[in-house]
Amino acid sequence: MASMTQTVPDSTTEHIRTPLAVIHKLFSMHTVETEYVATDFGKLAQSHFQAVFADRQALQQVPVYDQGRKITPGTLVRFRCMVQDPAYGEELHLAVARMTNTATGEERCAFSQYTDAEHGLGADWEVDYGAAANVFTEKEVAYCVSVPGQSAWARGVDDVSETALDSALESLSLSGDGNTRAGADKYPIPGEQHSAALVKFYAPSTAPRVSSVIDVVGVYELGANTRAQEAGDETAWPCIHAIYHSEVHVDDVASALPALQPEDFAARRAMCVEYVTSVLGGDDLAAQYVLLHLLSRTVRVQDAKVGKLSLNLVNVPASALPNTTFAFSNPA
């Protein structure tokens, strides 16, 4: 299959502002007659957008999805998220519809993927639901949320300057700022500010496994929540129609951070210890233990896991316990 990356407008701005128009132009160059070819077209759309945003600088132009920001429906967004419910539902979708003009009798195929909008070419056009050329596919729906516990500096990892890192360390905070948006009660950490969306995956993609952390690039809109509709709730939910996605590993985050010189290690470590000490009521030794515990991990030796799994802190002053998303035990 020949690549069409160069045969459609390659303006990054156009791909961000009107991604569906770009996809429709791709479709107009690609004859879809069977479900297999429709899946094949899905691969084409994925590879095209991946090629356009392969450069990090181009990808950074794509707006980050955030429920606290005003985002124009139909635009391209990116969302680093955790898959909280990968089996939120499946939706039968008329990806390719044979349309008939009731005034002239003209027939065309219309493509409608990466959106919940109805098919339509304007006045006098109707879907011929009995046409053999119609292609039905399923899209998998997953409920995805901001990565739980991710700090502000990690969410803003695109700013990778050392100045930004220093500023983030100086402004560390454990307190949440609350969340009253729809679906907030589903979030793993109650009260923590976050974003959530229904992410819809189209063939050949499938919804990732539960708790996967992924980077999604897709079309944002306020769309259908079939599970809520079954319960009588017709409210439109934020949806991201995934064009492509990739799994995020811890190395993907760490590699984006500025490299420290050996002579900087001690100063940065001291900043972390100072912060943890302030949380623990000024106990420097306890702070050292906590920092080491945060950096430790278990390892598997044959069939056994080796490593310290818990750290108990006692006699922590009540005045030192912050209003945070986690708390230290303070037995009498």
Side-chain angles (χ1 to χ4, degrees):
M1 179 178 62
S3 170
M4 297 185 186
T5 301
Q6 301 302 321
T7 60
V8 297
D10 58 358
S11 165
T12 301
T13 301
E14 183 168 355
H15 283 74
I16 294 172
R17 291 181 177 175
T18 57
L20 292 177
V22 172
I23 290 173
H24 289 162
K25 291 173 184 176
L26 275 174
F27 174 76
S28 67
M29 305 171 191
H30 188 77
T31 303
V32 179
E33 297 177 348
T34 67
E35 186 172 354
Y36 171 78
V37 179
T39 301
D40 200 38
F41 176 76
K43 294 179 182 178
L44 173 64
Q46 286 182 359
S47 61
H48 174 80
F49 275 78
Q50 285 175 325
V52 171
F53 296 104
D55 179 70
R56 180 176 176 80
Q57 186 174 2
L59 184 61
Q60 287 179 329
Q61 296 180 46
V62 180
V64 174
Y65 169 70
D66 184 338
Q67 281 185 278
R69 299 177 181 174
K70 181 176 178 59
I71 304 176
T72 303
T75 57
L76 198 70
V77 297
R78 54 193 170 105
F79 185 30
R80 174 162 292 181
C81 56
M82 184 193 77
V83 180
Q84 185 169 342
D85 185 353
Y88 198 82
E90 292 184 346
E91 299 175 359
L92 188 63
H93 179 61
L94 182 56
V96 181
R98 174 70 71 177
M99 307 288 293
T100 302
N101 189 305
T102 56
T104 64
E106 180 185 357
E107 293 185 346
R108 292 186 191 176
C109 275
F111 178 77
S112 182
Q113 192 155 291
Y114 309 111
T115 178
D116 287 330
E118 296 288 339
H119 290 78
L121 296 175
D124 300 326
W125 288 93
E126 294 182 353
V127 177
D128 180 2
Y129 289 101
N134 290 344
V135 177
F136 287 89
T137 61
E138 285 188 342
K139 47 187 170 184
E140 297 184 21
V141 184
Y143 183 82
C144 298
V145 297
S146 304
V147 181
Q150 189 177 35
S151 58
W153 68 263
R155 290 194 297 269
V157 76
D158 283 341
D159 186 357
V160 297
S161 67
E162 288 200 32
T163 301
L165 182 58
D166 286 335
S167 175
L169 287 171
E170 291 171 359
S171 61
L172 282 171
S173 172
L174 293 176
S175 61
D177 53 3
N179 194 311
T180 58
R181 301 188 186 113
D185 57 330
K186 302 178 184 294
Y187 197 59
I189 305 178
E192 182 173 293
Q193 187 74 24
H194 71 282
S195 295
L198 298 180
V199 180
K200 303 190 176 186
F201 298 89
Y202 297 79
S205 296
T206 56
R209 67 186 184 279
V210 65
S211 297
S212 297
V213 177
I214 58 175
D215 278 333
V216 176
V217 175
V219 181
Y220 166 79
E221 70 176 16
L222 294 173
N225 180 346
T226 52
R227 183 182 292 187
Q229 288 175 345
E230 291 171 358
D233 183 359
E234 297 294 330
T235 304
W237 276 56
C239 298
I240 298 175
H241 299 267
I243 298 177
Y244 69 90
H245 72 277
S246 58
E247 189 165 351
V248 177
H249 302 279
V250 65
D251 292 341
D252 297 330
V253 178
S255 63
L257 298 175
L260 294 178
Q261 299 301 317
E263 58 269 20
D264 296 328
F265 291 165
R268 297 298 172 85
R269 182 181 184 280
M271 291 176 67
C272 294
V273 171
E274 181 182 3
Y275 169 68
V276 180
T277 299
S278 68
V279 174
L280 298 177
D283 192 328
D284 179 84
L285 180 59
Q288 302 267 3
Y289 274 107
V290 169
L291 181 59
L292 291 172
H293 184 68
L294 292 173
L295 297 174
S296 66
R297 61 180 180 179
T298 59
V299 296
R300 181 178 290 276
V301 178
Q302 295 181 347
D303 294 329
K305 285 188 175 180
V306 179
K308 190 66 176 176
L309 302 178
S310 62
L311 174 66
N312 296 319
L313 298 175
V314 298
N315 298 324
V316 179
S319 60
L321 292 176
N323 180 23
T324 67
T325 55
F326 66 91
F328 297 111
S329 175
N330 185 25

